[in-house]
Amino acid sequence: MSEGEPLRVLPLQGDAGPDPSTLGLKEEELRELYRLMVLTRKADLEATALQRQGELAVYPPLIGQEAAQVGSAFALEESDWMFPSYRELGAAVVRGVDLVEYLHFYRATWHGGTYDANAHRFGHVSVPVGSQILHAVGYAMGSKMDRKGIATLVYFGDGATSEGDFHEGCNFAAVFKSPVVFFCQNNQWAISVPVSSQTVAPIWRKAGAYGFPGVLVDGNDVLAVYQATKEAAARARDESVPTLIEAVTYRIGPHSTADDASRYRPAAEVEQWKSQDPLDRYRAWLGAAGHADDAFFSEVDGLAKEFGARMRAGVIGSEPRPVEELFEWVYADVPEPLARQREEALRFARKNGEGRADG
């Protein structure tokens, strides 16, 4: 790989390409990567439709970024931790997070999602741009002190590299030799601001200022993302050396369902990136290399349809959260003004058949 060229494993055109044994992946794992990518896309499209139908308050589509998320999450050990931003549904799929619980955040019924973060080693949804970087570095520092022998990976976008949290996180990780992987999904746009207006130097090169490796990878190549992340996570665990990975990909959809990307993005640019669809590219290689056939692809399509239907039914059928939760976990001793508000809210809820009977 020459300087400035992204790490790439899959061919851009449909030839036979690499020997996956060099990546340590078995044939069933190669097929599992594809299955996870297809499930992610189906769930993403369903979530977008649910928002349009009024079932979610807002949703940030990830279509086009499946390879970056699935490849990186799949490369981690089960004991490693991930800290997402607000667009990492694909990483949640890999970790087995219940997407109905995940989408409670976007349904505006529970901040961060109702899933057990500790059980999945997957932090809660974080919307303030870049804030999860500090959480990940802090957890990595603590895990090192506790001699847990794990790596921590944090997801963020190109826009987050303009935040102080990113630079503070990198500096702390370097100084304290924290076992963390900084994973930047450079999807070219921070809402309506192009990456050219965010930074002059390439994002991956910023690692050099902090004294640890920076890696540029083709973010639409699931095998390259897997390789780069696996190596970075091993370096974090074994040597306590952080790594900054810049995965070059593209946000095919809008920034969120509240955004109209056609107002600032050229249509030709979107079409160009659509031609590099990570699912189409990986599927073509799997078939050409003899790792999967039409029967497998049909089976996966059927699984994805069922997966999306279960998620949709779960979201639509989910009940409101108990009113009591509005007043829990903030104060050990509830101040009198808040206690009065609580009682008033609970009386109203009981009158309308809401809240717990023991409230």
Side-chain angles (χ1 to χ4, degrees), residues 43-60 99-110 257 308-320:
D44 182 62
L45 293 173
E46 285 286 358
T48 301
L50 284 165
Q51 193 284 326
R52 299 305 190 198
Q53 294 158 8
E55 296 292 343
L56 301 179
V58 70
Y59 179 72
L99 294 187
V100 176
E101 296 184 354
Y102 176 88
L103 291 172
H104 267 297
F105 175 80
Y106 304 97
R107 195 165 168 81
T109 48
W110 188 264
T257 47
R310 287 196 303 272
M311 188 193 84
R312 166 177 283 277
V315 169
I316 294 174
S318 58
E319 298 290 334

Side-chain angles (χ1 to χ4, degrees), residues 8 54 86 98 100 116 123-124 139 149-150 164 170 173 183 200 234 245 247 255 277 305 323 333 357:
R8 184 172 289 124
Y86 46 79
D98 185 323
V100 176
D116 186 338
H124 285 124
Y139 193 92
I150 65 171
C170 287
F183 193 89
V200 174
I245 297 174
H255 173 73
D277 186 294
K305 186 176 181 179
V323 176
D333 299 310

Side-chain angles (χ1 to χ4, degrees), residues 250-270:
Y250 194 79
R251 191 194 79 213
I252 297 295
H255 173 73
S256 78
T257 47
D259 171 43
D260 179 4
S262 67
R263 298 182 64 181
Y264 56 82
R265 267 191 337 199
E269 177 183 282
V270 179

Side-chain angles (χ1 to χ4, degrees), residues 144-354:
K144 181 182 177 183
M145 292 176 183
D146 291 340
R147 301 182 185 276
K148 290 185 177 180
I150 65 171
T152 295
L153 183 144
V154 57
Y155 291 101
F156 52 93
D158 46 288
T161 65
S162 294
E163 296 284 343
D165 304 51
F166 166 73
H167 298 281
E168 292 158 8
C170 287
N171 196 51
F172 262 78
V175 171
F176 292 99
K177 301 186 184 306
S178 302
V180 61
V181 178
F182 299 96
F183 193 89
C184 176
Q185 293 176 85
N186 178 2
N187 65 16
Q188 313 302 313
W189 291 91
I191 310 184
S192 59
V193 180
V195 70
S196 59
S197 297
Q198 288 279 345
T199 182
V200 174
I203 291 170
W204 66 278
R205 284 186 174 171
K206 297 180 190 297
Y210 300 103
F212 56 76
V215 178
L216 181 65
V217 62
D218 181 343
N220 284 7
D221 179 345
V222 68
L223 296 184
V225 172
Y226 171 86
Q227 178 182 342
T229 308
K230 191 172 183 65
E231 291 173 356
R235 189 159 47 239
R237 284 187 228 101
D238 300 341
E239 305 171 38
S240 292
V241 174
T243 302
L244 169 60
I245 297 174
E246 178 187 354
V248 179
T249 182
Y250 194 79
R251 191 194 79 213
I252 297 295
H255 173 73
S256 78
T257 47
D259 171 43
D260 179 4
S262 67
R263 298 182 64 181
Y264 56 82
R265 267 191 337 199
E269 177 183 282
V270 179
E271 291 304 313
Q272 178 186 355
W273 280 94
K274 281 184 177 180
S275 69
Q276 302 175 41
D277 186 294
L279 269 71
D280 292 344
R281 184 173 167 191
Y282 190 49
R283 175 174 175 153
W285 177 78
L286 283 173
H291 298 300
D293 55 19
D294 289 342
F296 167 76
F297 295 129
S298 296
E299 178 187 4
V300 170
D301 289 342
L303 289 172
K305 186 176 181 179
E306 295 172 6
F307 184 72
R310 287 196 303 272
M311 188 193 84
R312 166 177 283 277
V315 169
I316 294 174
S318 58
E319 298 290 334
R321 302 296 302 179
V323 176
E324 292 87 343
E325 290 179 341
L326 287 170
F327 301 91
E328 294 178 1
W329 309 301
V330 177
Y331 294 98
D333 299 310
V334 181
E336 181 59 30
L338 186 60
R340 290 197 304 269
Q341 293 176 41
R342 181 180 186 274
E343 289 308 310
E344 181 179 349
L346 292 179
R347 282 196 301 271
F348 181 84
R350 285 192 289 268
K351 181 180 178 181
N352 290 275
E354 303 171 6

Side-chain angles (χ1 to χ4, degrees), residues 18-32:
D19 177 1
S21 65
T22 61
L23 303 177
L25 286 168
K26 300 175 182 177
E27 192 164 84
E28 56 265 32
E29 291 174 316
L30 294 172
R31 290 193 290 265
E32 177 68 0

